Amino acid sequence: MNNKIKEIVLSIIFITFLFSFMIVNILKKDDDISYSERRKLEKRPKITYNSLIDGTYFNTLDKYTTDQFIGRDSFRKIKINIDLLTKNNYNNLYLYNDYIIEELYPINKESVLNVTKKINDIKNRYLNETNNIFYSIVPDKNYFVNDDNLKLDYNELKSIMNTNLNIEYIDIFNELSLEDYYKTDTHWKEERLEKVVNKLSSKMNFKINNDYSFKEISEFNGTYSSRIIKKNISDKIYILDNNINALVYNYESDKYEDIYDLNKLNSLDKYNVYLNGSVSLLKIINNEYDESKKDLIVFRDSYGSSLIPLLIDGYNSITVVDIRYIKSSMLKDYIDFNNKDVLFLYSTLLINYSFTLK
């Protein structure tokens, strides 16, 4: 009899728990954003005749209940920690000396060739003997990890690029280390790029003032922190503390902006503080004009956003182009290419997944 009473009591407790949990979820105010995942959360779907018939209501409802589930981050954290302990990774993310590393292997040769084709198309369409043309590859942080399973074949990637590009290559791999990258993000740190700037200036023959001073402006939880929740792993955002006498013209907003957009500190990705993030076309004008200096055009991905502010002192102007967001055939309407230095600066991440280039 005692056992039967225990079973009844346990059943009542379990049912009460489930019912209470359901009620709390129903009464809970919906969250707009998941800051840990850096994304907007699904809203409660409206019931319509069409959505019921075609099934979209139930698909959206499933996403909504998953997104708005009370204690969701806690349950995610438990799942992540179990996977890291049992499988040493979570969705192809690994922890390496407190750095979150994503598995990138293998190399995508078709993608690498696509990058060389895009560069050659731009070179043949716009560039001539008046241009000094260079390209450089930004290694991902996996390059500095002692685990071949997490690495691309970087020598093969370089070989394909060099074979298909008749352009001077500036190798910056040896100017970097793992400590030059964020622990929670793919990107490199602006405050750690002095050696890269020196290598570029020596090869491209421009003079730069290396009197850099940086200031911390924010804590930073990068793109990987939304996928692996570790409270003890975080980063900081630094920007130049020097007074940069320059303006940035944003062709998308049709207005002049600052080098660092501090409003982006309130966004889901604080790395966008550098040159306003993903923008198709910018022109940085150095107000301290020097007739001995030239102009520079940089074709870049997001890694260029934090590097380019360090190059401003070396040029009268820097035009920043991201052909993920603007067709290269349109550039003639905005850019005078004559007598400009030209740098193609792309990360191995983009080179290995390059089909976003237009």
Side-chain angles (χ1 to χ4, degrees), residues 91-106:
N91 290 343
N92 292 328
L93 292 181
Y94 295 76
L95 281 177
Y96 183 88
N97 295 339
D98 281 346
Y99 284 81
I100 303 174
I101 307 291
E102 184 169 16
E103 182 179 316
L104 299 177
Y105 180 88

Side-chain angles (χ1 to χ4, degrees), residues 92-96 99-106 138-154 173 176-183 185-188 224 303 347-349 352-353:
N92 292 328
L93 292 181
Y94 295 76
L95 281 177
Y96 183 88
Y99 284 81
I100 303 174
I101 307 291
E102 184 169 16
E103 182 179 316
L104 299 177
Y105 180 88
V138 180
D140 54 86
K141 59 186 179 183
N142 301 36
Y143 177 76
F144 307 99
V145 171
N146 295 321
D147 187 340
D148 290 340
N149 292 324
L150 299 178
K151 296 185 179 186
L152 299 172
D153 188 334
Y154 297 97
F173 279 57
L176 292 160
S177 65
L178 182 59
E179 292 71 28
D180 299 330
Y181 294 76
Y182 296 112
K183 293 180 178 180
D185 200 78
T186 63
H187 292 102
W188 54 11
Y224 289 145
Y303 283 74
S347 67
T348 53
L349 297 178
N352 208 43
Y353 302 95

Side-chain angles (χ1 to χ4, degrees), residues 104-119:
L104 299 177
Y105 180 88
I107 188 172
N108 185 336
K109 296 180 184 179
E110 186 178 355
S111 176
V112 180
L113 287 171
N114 181 60
V115 174
T116 65
K117 180 179 182 300
K118 295 294 184 183
I119 293 175

Side-chain angles (χ1 to χ4, degrees), residues 32-283:
D32 294 323
I33 292 173
S34 170
Y35 288 97
S36 67
E37 296 175 86
R38 305 196 328 171
R39 67 178 180 87
K40 293 181 178 179
L41 297 174
E42 194 71 45
K43 293 297 185 182
R44 186 190 300 271
K46 293 181 179 179
I47 301 176
T48 65
Y49 175 79
N50 288 334
S51 66
L52 286 173
I53 294 300
D54 63 20
T56 56
Y57 171 77
F58 297 102
N59 288 334
T60 306
L61 181 64
D62 182 60
K63 294 177 182 176
Y64 164 75
T65 54
T66 301
D67 272 6
Q68 300 295 345
F69 194 77
I70 190 168
R72 185 171 182 274
D73 279 350
S74 297
F75 287 110
R76 284 187 65 238
K77 189 183 298 184
I78 292 170
K79 174 68 165 59
I80 290 167
N81 287 329
I82 290 173
D83 282 358
L84 288 174
L85 285 173
T86 58
K87 299 189 298 184
N88 197 34
N89 78 90
Y90 175 75
N91 290 343
N92 292 328
L93 292 181
Y94 295 76
L95 281 177
Y96 183 88
N97 295 339
D98 281 346
Y99 284 81
I100 303 174
I101 307 291
E102 184 169 16
E103 182 179 316
L104 299 177
Y105 180 88
I107 188 172
N108 185 336
K109 296 180 184 179
E110 186 178 355
S111 176
V112 180
L113 287 171
N114 181 60
V115 174
T116 65
K117 180 179 182 300
K118 295 294 184 183
I119 293 175
N120 281 324
D121 285 346
I122 291 169
K123 177 187 174 186
N124 295 333
R125 187 191 299 260
Y126 297 117
L127 307 182
N128 54 47
E129 65 278 359
T130 69
N131 300 113
N132 299 314
I133 312 171
F134 310 89
Y135 83 94
S136 190
I137 301 169
V138 180
D140 54 86
K141 59 186 179 183
N142 301 36
Y143 177 76
F144 307 99
V145 171
N146 295 321
D147 187 340
D148 290 340
N149 292 324
L150 299 178
K151 296 185 179 186
L152 299 172
D153 188 334
Y154 297 97
N155 289 330
E156 184 176 16
L157 184 146
K158 289 181 182 180
S159 176
I160 294 172
M161 296 283 285
N162 287 325
T163 299
N164 290 277
L165 292 174
N166 186 23
I167 297 174
E168 183 175 348
Y169 172 55
I170 304 175
D171 193 336
I172 60 173
F173 279 57
N174 290 335
E175 315 308 317
L176 292 160
S177 65
L178 182 59
E179 292 71 28
D180 299 330
Y181 294 76
Y182 296 112
K183 293 180 178 180
T184 64
D185 200 78
T186 63
H187 292 102
W188 54 11
K189 303 175 182 178
E190 181 177 77
E191 70 274 15
R192 301 275 304 191
L193 299 181
E194 183 174 344
K195 289 194 294 183
V196 172
V197 173
N198 289 339
K199 182 66 173 286
L200 293 174
S201 66
S202 66
K203 293 294 184 179
M204 296 171 64
N205 195 28
F206 65 86
K207 294 181 180 179
I208 199 77
N209 180 1
N210 282 54
D211 186 22
Y212 297 130
S213 175
F214 296 93
K215 63 180 179 181
E216 177 189 335
I217 59 170
S218 178
E219 295 284 333
F220 178 49
N221 294 308
T223 183
Y224 289 145
S225 63
S226 66
R227 296 165 60 187
I228 286 187
I229 305 172
K230 286 285 184 180
K231 287 186 177 180
N232 61 324
I233 302 177
S234 63
D235 293 293
K236 299 179 186 298
I237 291 277
Y238 288 83
I239 63 173
L240 278 171
D241 195 22
N242 309 57
N243 183 25
I244 305 174
N245 190 10
L247 287 173
V248 182
Y249 179 70
N250 186 328
Y251 285 83
E252 291 185 7
S253 64
D254 190 25
K255 64 182 182 181
Y256 286 94
E257 300 171 343
D258 294 326
I259 303 296
Y260 302 105
D261 184 358
L262 299 185
N263 290 324
K264 290 296 190 294
L265 295 179
N266 299 317
S267 70
L268 292 178
D269 189 354
K270 294 181 181 181
Y271 183 79
N272 288 334
V273 73
Y274 299 109
L275 290 182
N276 203 19
S278 299
V279 178
S280 58
L281 190 60
L282 302 168
K283 185 169 185 178

Side-chain angles (χ1 to χ4, degrees), residues 10-24:
L10 288 174
S11 298
I12 293 172
I13 292 173
F14 181 67
I15 293 170
T16 302
F17 173 79
L18 290 179
F19 183 76
S20 301
F21 207 74
M22 180 185 69
I23 295 299
V24 170

